[in-house]
């Protein structure tokens, strides 16, 4: 995100008094004046500082969650011969995307309102091999005692109408700064490889058609989502057959694949139903 570049553009690019950029700039300018900015240059430096701090707090929160995910991933890779986590991607929303969302949500384009209303500024996507792995990772992550589960959306058991499947978890993360502790929202999406492939293609199609996707392509997307779900189920069946066969005829010189998918008594503190219940009570 390049905050000062966006906010120091000529007036015509900022729109009128009701434009989100203009409203945010007015607030940042007022804050800068309250902080004792005496000149135009001082004011712009203060505005840049405010936006940098805003962005960094979300980056720090995202880094906290990424560290937890990487610890889980390395633990499994080095001690269990199998990791349920295949890939991890992450991103911070740009200022442009944030302000677009304030317009859609109908919330004020101020830093305070954005902090309260927009919960996916920091986003992490975890890709797993199997559906059971997605729930397993969600349970382990949400059981971390310093993370607060704010909201859960289970689009695997209840897919969207267009076929989209994924687990969405909104976490509130403590960020320990030099003079205070900030709590920021981080969204974590957890899905299988097949779900991720479908979602990536669907996103590109919507971008190509600018949201106006022909009905026949939408029908094909829903059909592809059904096939991706069937593929996940078939791969899980193959895994279970391999596990059963290995248990019948284990070899002493090779690790037992049955242990890839079996617990060792160290189950997460919360199961998925508990996590959903907790989020509904928040």
């Amino acid at each position: 995100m390049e905050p000062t570049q966006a906010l120091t553009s000529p007036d015509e690019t900022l729109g009128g008094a009701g434009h989100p950029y203009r409203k945010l700039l007015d607030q940042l300018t007022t804050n800068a004046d309250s902080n004792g900015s005496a000149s135009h240059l001082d004011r712009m430096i203060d505005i840049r500082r405010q936006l940098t701090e805003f962005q960094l707090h979300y980056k720090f929160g995202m880094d906290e969650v990424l560290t937890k995910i990487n610890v889980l991933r390395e633990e499994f890779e080095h001690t269990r011969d199998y990791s349920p986590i295949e890939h991890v991607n992450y991103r911070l929303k740009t200022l442009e995307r944030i302000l677009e969302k304030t317009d859609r949500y109908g919330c004020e384009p101020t830093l305070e309102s954005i902090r309260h209303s927009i919960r996916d500024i920091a986003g992490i996507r975890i890709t797993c091999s199997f559906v059971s792995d997605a729930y397993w990772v969600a349970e382990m992550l949400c059981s971390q005692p310093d993370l607060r589960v704010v909201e859960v959306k289970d689009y695997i058991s209840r897919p969207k109408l267009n076929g989209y499947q994924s687990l969405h978890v909104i976490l509130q993360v403590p960020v320990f700064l030099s003079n205070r502790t900030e709590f920021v929202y981080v969204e974590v999406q957890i899905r299988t490889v097949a779900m991720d492939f479908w979602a990536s293609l669907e996103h590109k199609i919507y971008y190509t058609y600018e949201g106006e996707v022909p009905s026949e392509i939408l029908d094909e997307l829903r059909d592809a989502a059904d096939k991706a779900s069937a593929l996940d189920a078939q791969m899980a069946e193959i895994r279970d057959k391999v596990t059963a066969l290995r248990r019948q005829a284990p070899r002493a010189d090779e690790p037992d694949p049955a242990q890839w998918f079996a617990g060792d008594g160290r189950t997460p503190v919360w199961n998925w139903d508990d996590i959903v219940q907790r989020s509904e009570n928040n």
Side-chain angles (χ1 to χ4, degrees), residues 220-240:
E220 290 188 40
L221 273 174
R222 281 189 285 269
D223 180 62
D226 292 338
K227 290 177 179 176
S229 182
L231 177 61
D232 276 333
Q234 183 179 11
M235 296 304 292
E237 290 178 4
I238 294 172
R239 173 201 64 187
D240 293 342

Side-chain angles (χ1 to χ4, degrees), residues 192-210:
T192 66
V193 175
M195 295 173 192
D196 190 59
F197 177 47
W198 183 93
S200 176
L201 179 60
E202 188 256 4
H203 178 76
K204 292 175 182 176
I205 289 174
Y206 269 82
Y207 180 81
T208 300
Y209 285 95
E210 298 181 348

Side-chain angles (χ1 to χ4, degrees), residues 97-117:
R97 295 296 185 189
I98 293 170
L99 292 179
E100 285 177 0
K101 202 153 194 177
T102 63
D103 202 35
R104 293 203 308 272
Y105 281 22
C107 68
E108 284 296 309
T110 64
L111 295 186
E112 292 77 13
S113 180
I114 290 170
R115 287 190 186 99
H116 176 74
S117 303

Side-chain angles (χ1 to χ4, degrees), residues 6-257:
L7 292 176
T8 56
S9 301
D11 284 349
E12 60 268 19
T13 66
L14 294 174
H19 193 280
Y21 273 110
R22 172 58 66 185
K23 286 186 175 181
L24 180 57
L25 178 58
D26 289 344
Q27 186 218 11
L28 297 175
T29 302
T30 300
N31 292 345
D33 291 340
S34 299
N35 293 333
S37 300
S39 67
H40 179 73
L41 178 59
D42 290 339
R43 188 178 293 119
M44 295 313 301
I45 291 173
D46 194 282
I47 289 173
R48 182 182 182 88
R49 178 192 58 77
Q50 293 178 62
L51 287 171
T52 299
E53 285 185 356
F54 175 81
Q55 182 187 31
L56 282 176
H57 293 173
Y58 285 96
K59 179 184 181 299
F60 295 154
M62 187 171 64
D63 287 345
E64 289 284 340
V65 179
L66 284 171
T67 296
K68 294 176 180 296
I69 294 169
N70 288 330
V71 167
L72 291 173
R73 188 177 190 176
E74 289 196 33
E75 178 191 1
F76 277 91
E77 287 176 348
H78 293 292
T79 66
R80 302 283 289 275
D81 296 316
Y82 169 80
S83 173
I85 300 172
E86 292 284 347
H87 310 290
V88 179
N89 297 309
Y90 54 91
R91 61 101 183 98
L92 286 174
K93 276 191 184 300
T94 63
L95 182 62
E96 179 183 9
R97 295 296 185 189
I98 293 170
L99 292 179
E100 285 177 0
K101 202 153 194 177
T102 63
D103 202 35
R104 293 203 308 272
Y105 281 22
C107 68
E108 284 296 309
T110 64
L111 295 186
E112 292 77 13
S113 180
I114 290 170
R115 287 190 186 99
H116 176 74
S117 303
I118 310 299
R119 296 180 172 182
D120 63 346
I121 293 174
I124 298 173
R125 182 179 303 131
I126 303 173
T127 308
C128 304
S129 295
F130 303 101
V131 171
S132 58
D133 286 347
Y135 285 102
W136 191 17
V137 169
E139 289 172 353
M140 287 187 288
L141 186 61
C142 292
S143 294
Q144 303 273 345
D146 56 338
L147 298 179
R148 179 179 176 229
V149 180
V150 177
E151 184 179 1
V152 169
K153 293 182 180 179
D154 188 344
Y155 294 121
I156 293 180
S157 64
R158 294 179 296 277
K160 290 185 178 182
L161 292 177
N162 64 353
Y164 175 85
Q165 289 185 290
S166 184
L167 299 179
H168 288 201
V169 179
I170 303 293
L171 301 172
Q172 199 168 41
V173 185
V175 175
F176 302 99
L177 304 169
S178 59
N179 58 351
R180 68 189 186 280
T181 301
E182 288 277 352
F183 292 87
V184 301
Y185 292 113
V186 177
E187 182 190 57
V188 181
Q189 298 178 2
I190 310 171
R191 59 182 65 153
T192 66
V193 175
M195 295 173 192
D196 190 59
F197 177 47
W198 183 93
S200 176
L201 179 60
E202 188 256 4
H203 178 76
K204 292 175 182 176
I205 289 174
Y206 269 82
Y207 180 81
T208 300
Y209 285 95
E210 298 181 348
E212 301 295 330
V213 183
S215 59
E216 62 271 18
I217 294 182
L218 289 176
D219 291 340
E220 290 188 40
L221 273 174
R222 281 189 285 269
D223 180 62
D226 292 338
K227 290 177 179 176
S229 182
L231 177 61
D232 276 333
Q234 183 179 11
M235 296 304 292
E237 290 178 4
I238 294 172
R239 173 201 64 187
D240 293 342
K241 289 178 181 178
V242 170
T243 300
L245 290 172
R246 290 295 309 210
R247 282 174 173 163
Q248 293 173 11
R251 287 179 53 182
D253 59 336
E254 292 183 4
D256 183 1

